Amino acid sequence: MSGGRKNGRREKFWRGVGVSDGAAVGRVLRVGGAERQNVYRATLEAADVKREIRRFHAAVRLSRRQLVAVRRRAEQLLGAEHAYIFDAHLLMLEDRKLIDEVEDYVRSERANAEWAVKVVGDRLLSVYAEINDDYLRERGSDVEDVLRRLLVALGGEHAPRGLTEDAVLVAEELLPSAVADLDFAHVRAVVSDAGGWTSHTAIIARGLGIPAVVGLRDFYRHARTGDEIAVDATRGEVVLRPSKETAAKFREASSRARSTVAAPAAPAGAAHAPTHTRDGVEIVLRANVELPAEYEGVRRYGARGVGLYRTEFLFAQGGGAPTEDEQFAAYAELARLCGADGARVRLFDLGGDKLLGGGETAERNPALGLRAIRLCLRREDVMRAQARAVLRAAACGRLDLVLPMISDVSEVRRARRIVDEERERLTGEGIEAGAVRVGAMIEVPSAVFVADALAREVDFFSLGTNDLVQYTLAVDRGNDEVADWFRSLHPAVLQSISRVLGAAGGAGIPCVVCGEMAGTPAYAAVLVGLGARELSMTATAIPRVRHALSGIDAAGASEIARECMACAGADESEEVVRARLGERWGDIFPPKSLPPPKGEGYNFGQVGHTATTKP
Ligand code: PEP
Ligand code: MG
């Protein structure tokens, strides 16, 4: 598949899964993956170019010194036969071609050294990636290592920051720590090799209202930082180095998408009015938040506070855990933003492979490993600092604490004890601590089974449908190969949700449903039918969910939900939803807003999402 030529290289087309709306044309910025640092493009004043080249040379010298030391250590510990790898690294650092190309790039483009290393390095890596010899191709990872060392060395000095290009983030998978310190004002789109509807990439992109295509499989290794790229998320298309005509077509799609998205979603004031179904049942709509860039949406779309704050996004790339004071500042800002509606702050929901940078080994099965509450309880120092920060910030406004991935009451008890101890410590130190309610994420099957007991231990439930689907159906939420098995309407999932809502109701505690289902109109209707009265979603989804829920009646939705729960499998329950929503509320759910029958490449969540964007 190809079109015109750009810089002598043909444009290349990819098709993936669009998980948000819109289109964009920009420049590739590769993030995450093997590269631990985010690198920004900054344009230098002509007078600063020489100094920048000196800074680059200093970084090369520093990297060389480090490598010599590492080589010596490796020789002592492992023997000379293992130290040769570092000889190869040293040789690369002495390679005049690499050094000259970086210098030339800094000079000709007036770019900062980090950016030049990244662009030149990416070029070199793509040459390795295409070598038809396994041994030589694998040497690419040595090059990557040397480049990373250089970037870290450059970061040791004061570097010019700020993304000045319109970037399209390209990742294997976009992890929270890879985006923590990015300036999203210049991010035009996001694409990733891995990912599904509920993957981090999709959640971040929808949260920011930017186009995103996931499931591109091998795109990352073909793209180089600085390449031109066109993305159409509505169609799931990505073009690398597009021809002029292709770029123009995508630009047109982009301005079309912007003009429709910018249309007012509701009459002024209506956005902040409570949401009621036609039969008068109030549904509280809250926002999920990952990054400060999303705060504006919380206000604009009239969210009733923040139903889920994913604090793991406070982790900067390679920077480890944020300090207690840094966290305090972030939580206090959130508390002020949300006022009386409050915010639910979740303890770090991270896996052992992504956290703390101190001695964790890669796990074979991170989804079932040392993650979320397990990691918090293992690293009490980190958890205590986070609890203190939340308690202190709660003195500035209403904040609650959410415990992620609870599977047993003992975890709740231990976590609560730690929170209580930190409160006492703060009081002893004369530091004010606010009232904080403690809730549990219900997202694994064992928690569903013991929901009655858990409900007696906590002040509220947060029902995470993303993980609940993943763990109930044993389907990796980030793996596009198994996306067809990710069936949110599976009767087992719906029965679980119903049981959890029942347990919360029985104990008289609130339950907020906060997975991606909540932000998808068709699913939101089913959730209301199951008894949900609080939904939390990416703020940009609130208008379409409000529109859908205001047009249905809760009694009718509960009949549909009951029918679904009685189905034998996901095909049947999806068919029930498809048919009944159309029959009852055809104006809200016209046929094109619902997915085609199974076998035609549907994605229930996605279709429901895009087709009802504009009420
Ligand atoms: C969930 O699992 O549904 C959830 C809300 O949390 P996360 O997507 O961050 O795992
Ligand atoms: Mg979860």
Side-chain angles (χ1 to χ4, degrees), residues 252-310:
E252 199 187 303
S254 156
S255 46
R256 237 190 352 257
R258 266 205 301 276
S259 62
T260 44
V261 169
H272 295 265
T275 302
H276 287 100
T277 58
R278 286 217 283 242
D279 51 351
V281 174
E282 185 178 355
I283 312 295
V284 177
L285 304 183
R286 304 191 194 277
N288 290 352
V289 159
E290 290 82 37
L291 299 162
E294 293 169 284
Y295 289 180
E296 166 56 21
V298 176
R299 255 187 246 113
R300 175 151 21 107
Y301 299 112
R304 291 271 302 277
V306 166
L308 173 67
Y309 177 38
R310 292 178 162 103

Side-chain angles (χ1 to χ4, degrees), residues 139-189:
R139 297 291 59 76
S141 60
D142 291 332
V143 178
E144 218 154 355
D145 223 32
V146 170
L147 294 170
R148 191 157 54 211
R149 184 175 295 282
L150 265 176
L151 287 173
V152 171
L154 278 164
E157 297 177 33
H158 180 72
R161 307 282 291 181
L163 199 61
T164 58
E165 298 256 6
D166 286 346
V168 172
L169 303 188
V170 176
E172 285 172 302
E173 193 194 350
L174 209 53
L175 299 173
S177 56
V179 297
D181 58 353
L182 273 177
D183 169 10
F184 274 92
H186 289 282
V187 173
R188 289 286 162 269

Side-chain angles (χ1 to χ4, degrees), residues 128-268:
Y128 273 89
E130 278 161 28
I131 293 177
N132 207 5
D133 175 300
D134 285 351
Y135 177 78
L136 283 177
R137 197 171 45 247
E138 289 189 355
R139 297 291 59 76
S141 60
D142 291 332
V143 178
E144 218 154 355
D145 223 32
V146 170
L147 294 170
R148 191 157 54 211
R149 184 175 295 282
L150 265 176
L151 287 173
V152 171
L154 278 164
E157 297 177 33
H158 180 72
R161 307 282 291 181
L163 199 61
T164 58
E165 298 256 6
D166 286 346
V168 172
L169 303 188
V170 176
E172 285 172 302
E173 193 194 350
L174 209 53
L175 299 173
S177 56
V179 297
D181 58 353
L182 273 177
D183 169 10
F184 274 92
H186 289 282
V187 173
R188 289 286 162 269
V190 177
V191 304
S192 70
D193 284 2
W197 175 247
T198 63
S199 64
H200 279 120
T201 311
I203 290 172
I204 295 162
R206 285 197 294 270
L208 296 166
I210 54 182
V213 180
V214 303
L216 291 167
R217 298 187 181 189
D218 66 344
F219 185 78
Y220 184 77
R221 84 183 166 83
H222 286 88
R224 290 190 227 141
T225 294
D227 279 349
E228 199 174 359
I229 178 174
V231 180
D232 187 336
T234 313
R235 301 162 69 92
E237 288 175 357
V238 176
V239 187
L240 191 59
R241 295 183 287 273
S243 68
K244 267 203 188 110
E245 301 75 48
T246 308
K249 237 174 35 211
F250 277 66
R251 275 199 191 92
E252 199 187 303
S254 156
S255 46
R256 237 190 352 257
R258 266 205 301 276
S259 62
T260 44
V261 169

Side-chain angles (χ1 to χ4, degrees), residues 198 200 203 288 290 308 310 312-313 346 349 371 441 443 463-468 477 514-516:
T198 63
H200 279 120
I203 290 172
N288 290 352
E290 290 82 37
L308 173 67
R310 292 178 162 103
E312 53 276 14
F313 283 77
R346 185 171 70 185
D349 184 2
R371 55 163 295 203
M441 287 294 294
E443 49 189 349
L463 207 158
T465 57
N466 304 335
D467 278 316
L468 187 64
R477 60 191 266 193
C514 54
E516 293 305 289

